[in-house]
Structure formats: C-alpha cells, structure tokens
C-alpha cells in the first residue's frame, strides 16, 4: 500500500505537497475548497499546474480530492438534490484541474425516503455527473459509510448496487475506510477475518474496484456504526489489526490515506501513525530469519 495522509491546504496547494513529502507520505488527499461550504474560489490554472508539477516530481505521489460535506447525492428533497448535484459537478471540475487520481465522496443519505430510493437517486446523480463531464479522467470513488443515521453504502452490497446501476467501471470505483468498515461490523483484524473480507470484496465488488483506502483506527467498537476516527494503534482496531491489510501485496499500488486526529503539533501524529503502519511492513510476524545452522564442512577428500 502507498501510505499517505489527508493534508490541509491552508498554506497553498504546493505547500501541501511539500508537507506531505516532509512526513514521508507516498499519497496525499486534499480538499479543493472548504469542505463546509457549497462553493469556493475557483482553482487558478497556474496553481493547479504548479500542484501537478510538485506531485509528479520524483517520486510521484498518489493523489485524491475529498469532496465537501454538504453534498448529498441521495437527498429526497428536490432543492437540496439540485444544489448537491451542482456542487458535485464543481468538485469534479476542480479535481480535473488538479489532475488527481480520484475524487472521494460520501455517496449520500436517504433522510427517511428509504435505502432503495436513496440508492437509486445516488446512481442517477452519478450518471448525470459522468454525462456532464464526458472527457473526465478523475475516477469518482464512493466511500463506504459507517452506517450512521440514514447514510447509505455502509455495505459492499449497497456500494455494488450503485456501481452496477451507473455501469461505468472505467470511471468509478470505491474507497474503503477502515474505521467505517469496522464500525459497520466487518472484523478484518485477524488473518481469518481479513481473508473472509477479501473474499467478499472479490465476489461483490471485484478487487480492481477498490482504488483507495482511508486508514483510520476506530474509537468505537465493532459494529457500533459510529464514525469516530482514532490514531493508529490507539483504538479498537489496534495496530496488529491493520497488519493483514497493510501487508497484503495485492494493494501495493493502492493509496491508503490517514484521516486520524491531529493536535497542535502539526503533523506529528501522522508521523507516528505512518511509522506504526510501516513497522508492520518491516517486521512481518514470520519467525525472524535464523542464522544458518552450521553444518560440518564435508571434507573434499
Ligand atoms: Zn470521507
Ligand atoms: Zn469517517
């Protein structure tokens, strides 16, 4: 896995790349505007070009934009739905300008209209967005929800139902958040649990549909449906619980972004979280290589 993190852009886009590289991230996720606002100032083409150049400098980083929180592509309310679709199109266009690999978004919430109606509305929203940007290169990645409230797509089956209805496998995909998976009741902490989870991913989604991970420990227990991120190793998943996923060679080229809590010391907590995850790669659980047994040297004669 390409280990990285969500980086703030208050210092500018190129500064975010610099900060990401400074903490040893191989992948960075950003917001392209304030996530609490419907709209933001346009992305200046020169700033976008500088960002792309910084990202592509060796070694190149994997990149994603995370969309704003106000958007609900599954809303049953006509006005909110229209507003959400307009804002989502703007998110896509900004992400296209920035040339990122993926636009990660929360599929939506049904707000009482029921999962079936909500999932149908989300698929219609996505189809409309793809048609509006026919030349789009940024992959639209549905993020699994923790299952809080009426949020949709907390299961692989719901994610699949939207992807199947949209039927554009070369333009869409999925981001799996470890905290949300765990809160949704998936226990991937053991080799057996992780194996069963991978089998379900393969059967329901297809492995190549998964284009990114969010690597977050969970403050709340298995199946809590609470979306509460914790630093790696400090939560209910625990550091060993990340081992099967992080060590799986099938995800070598897939980015995994931290969205763990930070404190006043800048990105120090990310540095610790990345070090913890990398320690899993450096010290596999197999018995350490033992010194070769001394064998009597056979005499040549
Ligand atoms: Zn998210
Ligand atoms: Zn979350």
């Amino acid at each position: 896995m390409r280990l990285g993190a969500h980086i703030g852009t208050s210092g500018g886009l190129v500064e975010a790349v610099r900060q990401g590289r400074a903490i040893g991230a191989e992948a960075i996720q950003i917001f392209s505007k304030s996530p609490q606002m419907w709209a933001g100032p346009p992305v200046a083409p020169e700033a976008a070009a500088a960002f792309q150049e910084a990202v592509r400098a060796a070694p190149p980083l994997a990149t994603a934009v995370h969309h704003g929180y106000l958007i609900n592509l599954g809303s049953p309310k006509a006005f909110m739905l229209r507003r959400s679709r307009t804002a989502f199109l703007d998110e896509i266009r900004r992400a296209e300008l920035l040339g990122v690999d993926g636009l990660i978004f929360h599929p939506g919430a049904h707000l009482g209209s029921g999962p079936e109606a909500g999932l149908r509305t989300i698929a219609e929203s996505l189809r409309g967005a793809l048609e509006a940007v026919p030349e789009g290169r940024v992959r639209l990645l549905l993020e699994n929800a923790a299952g809080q409230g009426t949020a949709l797509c907390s299961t692989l089956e719901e994610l699949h139902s939207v992807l199947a209805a949209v039927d554009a496998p070369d333009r869409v995909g999925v981001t799996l958040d470890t905290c949300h998976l765990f809160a949704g009741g998936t226990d991937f902490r053991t080799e057996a649990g992780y194996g069963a989870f991978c089998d379900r991913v393969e059967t329901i989604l297809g492995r190549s549909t998964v284009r990114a991970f969010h690597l977050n420990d969970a403050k709340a227990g298995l199946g809590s449906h609470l979306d509460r991120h914790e630093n790696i190793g400090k939560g209910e998943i625990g550091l060993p619980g990340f081992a099967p996923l992080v060590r799986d060679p099938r995800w070598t080229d897939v980015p995994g972004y931290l969205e763990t809590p930070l404190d006043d010391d800048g990105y120090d907590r990310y540095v610790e979280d990345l070090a913890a995850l990398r320690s899993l790669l450096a010290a596999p659980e197999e018995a350490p290589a033992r010194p070769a047994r001394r064998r009597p040297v056979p005499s040549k004669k």
Side-chain angles (χ1 to χ4, degrees), residues 170-205:
D170 50 336
R171 297 192 63 192
V172 297
V174 159
T175 295
L176 295 177
D177 183 307
T178 52
C179 170
H180 303 177
L181 276 175
F182 188 74
T186 300
D187 193 354
F188 50 85
R189 295 174 294 183
T190 61
E191 287 295 344
Y194 177 72
F197 160 66
C198 281
D199 289 348
R200 295 187 63 239
V201 167
E202 196 64 76
T203 313
I204 299 167
L205 295 176

Side-chain angles (χ1 to χ4, degrees), residues 25 58 84 99 123 136 166 216 247 252 277 287 295:
S84 293
V166 171
N216 302 309
R247 285 178 186 161
T252 301
L277 291 170
R295 271 198 225 141

Side-chain angles (χ1 to χ4, degrees), residues 12-33:
L13 291 163
V14 170
E15 176 61 11
V17 176
R18 193 198 64 75
Q19 288 176 331
R21 290 187 187 279
I23 62 166
E26 300 163 272
I28 61 165
Q29 173 183 281
I30 58 169
F31 293 123
S32 76
K33 60 172 183 58

Side-chain angles (χ1 to χ4, degrees), residues 143 177 179-180 216 227-229 259:
E143 177 179 347
D177 183 307
C179 170
H180 303 177
N216 302 309
D227 184 3
R228 305 263 188 281
H229 299 187
E259 293 176 325

